[in-house]
Amino acid sequence: ITPAAMTIVFLGITIGTIMTMSSSNWLMAWIGLELNMLAILPIISKPKTTRASEATTKYFLTQAIASAMMLLSSTINVWQTGSWSILELKNKFSTTIMALSLMMKMGAAPIHFWLPEVLQGTTLQTALLITTWQKIAPVTLMYMISNNIQPAILVSAGILSMIVGGLGGINQTQLRKMMAYSSINNLGWTITIMAFSPNMALMNIFTYIIMTTPIFLMMTNMSTKTLQNLSTTWTTSMTMTLSIALLMLSTSGLPPFTGFMPKMLILNELISQKLTTLATLAI
């Protein structure tokens, strides 16, 4: 891809996300998400391999289905309320479909199946883009409609994402797949608390983005793609290997690292909301 083409692609990704975040209308939000999706496809398919082509197809199909669900949800809501406004999402059926479509766009369980496969089929830089920047727009939309979504739906999907993310990452040797399951697990925390404290959910997702970015950048720098590669980098770059290890511990929410802070606050909020059983399950 030429530099001019790359500039257009990155402009498309940036403008798409900003359009979605700043719109108060479902149609404009949908257009922003579509622009974002179409702009990232050339980046995913950049390596001329079968895996990259497969990853591009999987990403396109899942995002297209999620976008269709978004349109269906907003159209049903317009029939019921006569308004395209994002904050006017009052119909329960529409809200449920919209929540599912946004979860599908983010890669939260139970509609997470595409994320590990897509990340495995692409480069580390693109994996970084999908696990961080691509989540901002759907999370913003979920934040805007969080008051209207039934807490049971968010909590169920959140706990399922925590379980899938936690168990899925155990048996992995590929670092990109491990990071994909880590992303699913973190989304679980974000979605669970979205029902009770949306501001805390935003804090959690942005803390995760700040921690994940250097992990991917260091893995790119050292060209490590598997755990075996990572175990041999100790001899060449001790500082970077140690940094990755500490950042991974932080991402998993181990005290006293940064990643523990949002998890502790979320658990505290769940307990104060008299959801002790839920907090125990989250631990």
Side-chain angles (χ1 to χ4, degrees):
I1 303 175
T2 61
M6 281 305 276
T7 308
I8 294 166
V9 162
F10 278 108
L11 263 176
I13 292 171
T14 312
I15 291 166
T17 302
I18 292 168
M19 252 176 87
T20 305
M21 288 173 73
S22 57
S23 63
S24 59
N25 183 298
W26 278 121
L27 217 52
M28 287 303 288
W30 174 76
I31 291 167
L33 285 169
E34 286 298 291
L35 179 62
N36 190 307
M37 175 190 75
L38 291 170
I40 202 173
L41 292 178
I43 299 177
I44 301 173
S45 61
K46 195 183 174 189
K48 297 290 174 276
T49 59
T50 320
R51 292 296 298 268
S53 307
E54 188 186 325
T56 312
T57 312
K58 280 178 181 172
Y59 186 82
F60 172 71
L61 288 174
T62 46
Q63 297 293 316
I65 292 164
S67 294
M69 284 167 71
M70 263 189 82
L71 268 185
L72 172 68
S73 167
S74 48
T75 309
I76 291 168
N77 189 60
V78 170
W79 280 340
Q80 296 285 324
T81 62
S83 169
W84 278 103
S85 171
I86 290 175
L87 301 173
E88 290 290 315
L89 195 70
K90 298 283 190 274
N91 185 285
K92 270 190 177 180
F93 181 65
S94 297
T95 315
T96 307
I97 293 178
M98 187 61 74
L100 285 171
S101 74
L102 293 173
M103 284 173 202
M104 195 171 190
K105 280 205 167 287
M106 288 187 271
I111 326 166
H112 66 283
F113 51 85
W114 61 272
L115 189 63
E117 298 300 320
V118 169
L119 255 59
Q120 187 57 35
T122 188
T123 61
L124 284 163
Q125 295 98 317
T126 313
L128 166 64
L129 204 60
I130 293 168
T131 49
T132 56
W133 184 262
Q134 292 299 91
K135 285 192 171 55
I136 295 172
V139 166
T140 309
L141 284 176
M142 191 173 270
Y143 175 83
M144 290 165 85
I145 63 165
S146 58
N147 291 337
N148 299 325
I149 307 173
Q150 291 163 284
I153 294 166
L154 289 175
V155 169
S156 306
I159 288 176
L160 194 60
S161 295
M162 286 181 207
I163 294 166
V164 167
L167 296 178
I170 291 172
N171 204 27
Q172 299 302 328
T173 53
Q174 296 289 336
L175 289 174
R176 280 167 295 181
K177 277 196 175 179
M178 277 178 70
M179 293 307 291
Y181 283 109
S182 162
S183 170
I184 293 164
N185 178 272
N186 188 268
L187 274 173
W189 287 88
T190 307
I191 291 167
T192 304
I193 199 61
M194 188 72 81
F196 310 105
S197 177
N199 290 337
M200 207 174 281
L202 281 192
M203 183 200 68
N204 183 54
I205 196 81
F206 283 115
T207 308
Y208 175 75
I209 288 171
I210 291 162
M211 290 186 298
T212 304
T213 307
I215 294 177
F216 272 110
L217 292 176
M218 283 190 276
M219 287 196 308
T220 308
N221 195 328
M222 296 192 293
S223 302
T224 51
K225 290 179 181 174
T226 62
L227 275 176
Q228 194 175 3
N229 288 356
L230 197 60
S231 61
T232 55
T233 53
W234 184 260
T235 50
T236 53
S237 178
M238 190 188 290
T239 316
M240 222 172 256
T241 313
L242 191 64
S243 301
I244 286 185
L246 291 174
L247 276 164
M248 281 184 165
L249 287 173
S250 180
T251 314
S252 62
L254 197 79
F257 300 108
T258 315
F260 175 64
M261 179 196 63
K263 287 182 170 62
M264 185 183 69
L265 291 171
I266 288 169
L267 288 173
N268 182 51
E269 182 65 27
L270 290 174
I271 291 163
S272 65
Q273 293 273 0
K274 304 286 186 292
L275 295 163
T276 320
T277 317
L278 197 61
T280 315
L281 269 172
I283 294 165

